[in-house]
C-alpha cells in the first residue's frame, strides 16, 4: 500500500472527528431560544452566524470522499452500487453545506428546496450503502471482524430513517431535531467504523490476516432465515 493510500483513512478519521466536534460547538452558537429537540441541524446552521455547522457538513463530505477513495484503493468490497451510494452521500453533504435552507418559519425558496432534496438523498443513501455492504464485508476475510458492527449501525440508521420520515410527514415535526440527530449519529458511526478499520488495515496489515482466519459472519437475514 502506497503512502497516499495510507493517508486516505487518516484524512477520513480526522474529518469525521472535526465535523462531530464542530457540529457540537455549532449547537451553542445560534439563537438560545431555538430548541434542539424540535429544530433540525440545517435550521440551526442558518442561525449560526459563524458558519461552523456548514463547515462541519462540508468537512464530513470531503472526509467521506477520502474514505471512499481509501476503500476503493485498498480493494474493499465496495464496487458497484455501494460506492455510488457513498458518493451520493458525500456529494450531497457538500451541496447541502454550500446551499443553505431558509430560516425557521420562512417560505422555502429554490435554494432551500435544493437543500431539502440533497439532504434526503444523503439520509437515504448511507443506510442503503451499509445494507449492501454487510454481506460483502462478512464474506471478505479482512473486513469480517467489523461486519457485525456495520450491520447494527446500519439497522440503527434504517430505523432512524423510518422515524424521521414519520416525524417529518404525519408526525407534524414533533421532536424532529432529536430524531434527526440520532439518525446522524448512527450514520456517522457507520462512517467511523469503516474509517477506523480501514486505518488499521492500512497501518497494520496483520489485522486483515487475522480476520481472514476467523469464522464466517452470520448476517441478520441469515439469522432470521435460520429461525423461521
Amino acid at each position: 500500500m502506497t503512502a497516499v493510500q495510507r493517508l486516505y483513512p487518516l484524512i477520513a478519521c480526522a474529518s469525521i472527528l472535526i465535523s462531530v466536534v464542530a457540529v457540537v460547538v455549532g449547537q451553542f452558537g445560534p439563537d438560545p431560544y431555538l430548541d434542539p429537540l424540535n429544530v433540525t441541524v440545517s435550521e440551526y446552521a442558518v442561525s449560526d452566524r459563524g458558519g461552523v455547522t456548514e463547515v462541519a457538513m462540508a468537512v464530513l463530505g470531503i472526509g467521506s470522499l477520502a474514505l471512499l477513495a481509501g476503500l476503493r484503493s485498498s480493494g474493499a468490497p465496495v464496487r458497484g452500487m455501494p460506492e455510488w451510494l457513498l458518493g451520493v452521500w458525500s456529494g450531497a453533504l457538500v451541496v447541502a453545506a454550500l446551499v443553505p435552507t431558509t430560516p425557521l418559519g420562512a417560505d422555502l425558496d429554490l435554494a432551500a428546496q435544493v437543500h431539502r432534496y440533497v439532504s434526503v438523498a444523503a439520509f437515504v443513501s448511507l443506510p442503503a450503502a451499509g445494507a449492501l455492504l454487510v454481506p460483502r464485508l462478512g464474506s471478505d476475510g479482512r473486513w469480517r471482524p467489523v461486519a457485525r458492527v456495520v450491520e447494527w449501525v446500519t439497522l440503527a440508521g434504517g430505523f432512524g430513517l423510518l422515524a424521521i420520515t414519520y416525524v417529518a410527514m404525519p408526525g407534524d415535526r414533533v421532536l424532529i431535531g432529536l430524531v434527526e440527530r440520532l439518525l446522524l449519529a448512527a450514520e456517522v458511526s457507520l462512517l467511523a467504523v469503516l474509517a477506523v478499520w480501514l486505518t488499521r488495515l492500512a497501518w497494520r496489515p496483520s489485522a486483515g490476516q487475522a480476520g481472514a482466519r476467523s469464522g464466517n459472519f452470520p448476517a441478520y437475514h441469515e439469522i432470521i432465515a435460520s429461525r423461521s
Side-chain angles (χ1 to χ4, degrees):
M1 183 171 287
T2 66
V4 174
Q5 290 174 328
R6 287 187 173 188
L7 282 177
Y8 285 139
L10 295 180
I11 294 172
C13 288
S15 300
I16 292 170
L17 179 59
I18 292 172
S19 63
V20 170
V21 172
V23 166
V24 172
V25 170
Q27 303 301 294
F28 298 97
D31 191 330
Y33 294 103
L34 292 177
D35 182 3
L37 297 181
N38 293 291
V39 177
T40 67
V41 173
S42 296
E43 291 165 345
Y44 247 70
V46 174
S47 303
D48 183 6
R49 296 181 180 86
V52 176
T53 305
E54 288 94 337
V55 171
M57 294 168 62
V59 168
L60 183 58
I62 294 172
S64 299
L65 287 174
L67 173 61
L68 177 56
L71 291 171
R72 291 189 57 180
S73 64
S74 68
V78 297
R79 298 286 181 175
M81 188 58 68
E83 67 178 338
W84 281 103
L85 291 170
L86 287 171
V88 170
W89 156 267
S90 305
L93 281 181
V94 174
V95 174
L98 297 175
V99 184
T101 188
T102 54
L104 187 64
D107 294 333
L108 294 180
D109 55 15
L110 178 59
Q113 293 180 17
V114 171
H115 181 95
R116 170 178 289 184
Y117 290 130
V118 296
S119 297
V120 170
F123 283 140
V124 173
S125 60
L126 195 55
L132 293 175
L133 281 175
V134 168
R136 296 188 182 197
L137 300 180
S139 60
D140 188 307
R142 298 173 306 156
W143 287 88
R144 188 176 297 128
V146 296
R148 187 179 297 279
V149 180
V150 171
E151 176 185 30
W152 287 113
V153 293
T154 297
L155 284 173
F159 284 124
L161 188 60
L162 292 175
I164 198 169
T165 300
Y166 172 79
V167 169
M169 300 177 74
D172 293 329
R173 293 174 53 93
V174 175
L175 297 180
I176 190 171
L178 174 62
V179 174
E180 184 192 58
R181 284 162 176 78
L182 292 175
L183 171 58
L184 285 173
E187 296 191 335
V188 172
S189 296
L190 173 57
L191 295 174
V193 170
L194 295 175
V196 169
W197 190 252
L198 179 62
T199 302
R200 186 173 182 181
L201 291 179
W203 293 89
R204 291 185 58 191
S206 59
Q209 297 172 1
R213 293 193 296 268
S214 63
N216 292 329
F217 166 76
Y220 58 85
H221 55 81
E222 295 174 343
I223 296 174
I224 294 174
S226 65
R227 295 181 179 179
S228 60

